[in-house]
Amino acid sequence: MVMKMDKTEKTANRSVLKTLEFLEYFIQNSELSLAELVELSDMPKSTVFRILQTLEMRGFVSKTTTHNPPKYQLGLKLLEFGNIVAQRLEIRKVALPYMQQLRDTVDEAVNLIIRDQDEGVYIEKVDTRQYVRVYTQVGRKSPLYAGACPRILLSFLPDHEIEELLNRVDMKKISPDTNIDKDLLWQWIHDARENGYTVSYGELEPDSAAIAVPIRDFTGQVIAGLSLAGATSRFQLDRLGYLVQETKAVANKIMSKLGYSDAKAGL
């Protein structure tokens, strides 16, 4: 069977498309032999074998032990990807009603963010009813070194991962108040670990402020950040403690739902 490619696919990398096509064969067939894959793909046996070797080496397929000649099945590496996607969907579903509750309590925008390599990506938001608001949208990305919510994700990575990331990325100013001083960033990271929250003023947009706290899964790993964002005038010292307290309380409820047993003890 030969699959026809649409116009978009024709401009893509054909080798990658063929490899992904191989994985799709297993949607309808739990196990396939080399000969069956040759027939399905209408490709030379040697080419099919090389693709299978590569997929097996990276854990995307594995050989069964009950057939001779052996058959292939999807590998455990795909389970890792599936768990990541499921976790992202699960945290959005769990967090949204609590985010709405937090917005109604403090009347500020509430954001949920997760890590995507060297950036944080916003996966859920609840807008404030305030006239002056900070613009965010689901899918927006920000570097992990800038802004309260991205930085809360950075802060709870192991030190060596942080060092590698900071050596890898080019720290640039996103707004006039974006910090690009690594020594100051490390100080903020240690403060976040000690206090359980981060604060930012104008780092992503002028005249905006945000606070963020970590969200942990049942293993205790920080998998997301929960933040409030709004106009700088509403995030002054006289109100900051209240906002942090309410955000932490809601984060604890979300973490309890995710199975984190120490959530009631605080962040």
Side-chain angles (χ1 to χ4, degrees):
M1 178 180 66
V2 180
M3 296 184 180
K4 294 182 179 180
M5 293 187 292
D6 60 24
K7 292 180 180 179
T8 302
E9 289 178 318
K10 287 179 181 178
T11 63
N13 186 296
R14 294 179 65 87
S15 297
V16 174
L17 286 175
K18 279 295 182 184
T19 303
L20 294 174
E21 192 175 291
F22 262 65
L23 295 177
E24 291 175 347
Y25 292 141
F26 290 96
I27 295 175
Q28 299 294 331
N29 306 275
S30 60
E31 297 177 343
L32 289 166
S33 67
L34 175 61
E36 288 169 330
L37 285 164
V38 169
E39 183 179 354
L40 284 170
S41 64
D42 195 26
M43 295 170 61
K45 183 177 179 180
S46 59
T47 302
V48 172
F49 183 69
R50 285 198 302 272
I51 292 174
L52 284 172
Q53 274 191 318
T54 302
L55 290 172
E56 185 179 11
M57 181 176 62
R58 300 307 297 263
F60 290 103
V61 300
S62 62
K63 290 179 183 176
T64 64
T65 58
T66 55
H67 299 89
N68 189 20
K71 289 195 172 186
Y72 294 85
Q73 61 188 1
L74 293 178
L76 295 178
K77 175 61 70 172
L78 289 169
L79 182 61
E80 293 181 32
F81 286 109
N83 284 338
I84 291 170
V85 174
Q87 187 179 70
R88 291 180 177 184
L89 294 175
E90 177 67 14
I91 193 172
R92 287 182 68 179
K93 180 180 177 181
V94 169
L96 183 56
Y98 294 105
M99 293 170 66
Q100 292 168 332
Q101 172 189 320
L102 180 59
R103 186 273 313 277
D104 292 341
T105 300
V106 302
D107 201 14
E108 300 292 351
V110 186
N111 299 300
L112 185 68
I113 189 171
I114 61 173
R115 183 187 177 189
D116 183 13
Q117 298 183 22
D118 296 341
E119 297 176 304
V121 57
Y122 292 78
I123 61 169
E124 192 58 87
K125 72 165 190 171
V126 180
D127 278 328
T128 180
R129 298 187 181 94
Q130 298 273 8
Y131 178 73
V132 178
R133 63 184 66 181
V134 175
Y135 173 76
T136 58
Q137 65 179 16
V138 172
R140 174 185 178 181
K141 291 185 176 182
S142 300
L144 292 179
Y145 63 83
C149 212
R151 194 165 59 249
I152 201 70
L153 301 176
L154 179 69
S155 297
F156 288 92
L157 292 176
D159 283 359
H160 72 275
E161 285 192 36
I162 297 175
E163 286 282 8
E164 290 172 1
L165 185 146
L166 295 181
N167 290 332
R168 184 169 63 244
V169 302
D170 182 15
M171 294 179 65
K172 298 179 180 179
K173 282 187 173 289
I174 300 168
S175 79
D177 291 325
T178 303
N179 172 56
I180 56 173
D181 182 299
K182 291 184 181 181
D183 290 336
L184 180 57
L185 178 60
W186 271 109
Q187 180 181 323
W188 287 352
I189 287 170
H190 293 310
D191 289 345
R193 291 171 176 175
E194 181 176 348
N195 300 323
Y197 70 92
T198 56
V199 183
S200 66
Y201 292 96
E203 292 183 43
L204 297 176
E205 295 179 28
D207 303 318
S208 68
I211 63 167
V213 301
I215 299 290
R216 300 178 186 272
D217 66 6
F218 68 96
T219 68
Q221 180 181 357
V222 174
I223 59 170
L226 182 70
S227 76
L228 296 178
T232 301
S233 60
R234 301 197 300 268
F235 282 71
Q236 297 304 304
L237 190 59
D238 59 345
R239 193 170 182 247
L240 201 60
Y242 163 72
L243 295 176
V244 170
Q245 175 183 314
E246 294 297 327
T247 307
K248 281 188 173 183
V250 167
N252 284 335
K253 292 178 182 178
I254 295 171
M255 291 191 293
S256 291
K257 287 289 185 180
L258 294 174
Y260 179 53
S261 60
D262 292 334
K264 292 182 180 179
L267 298 165

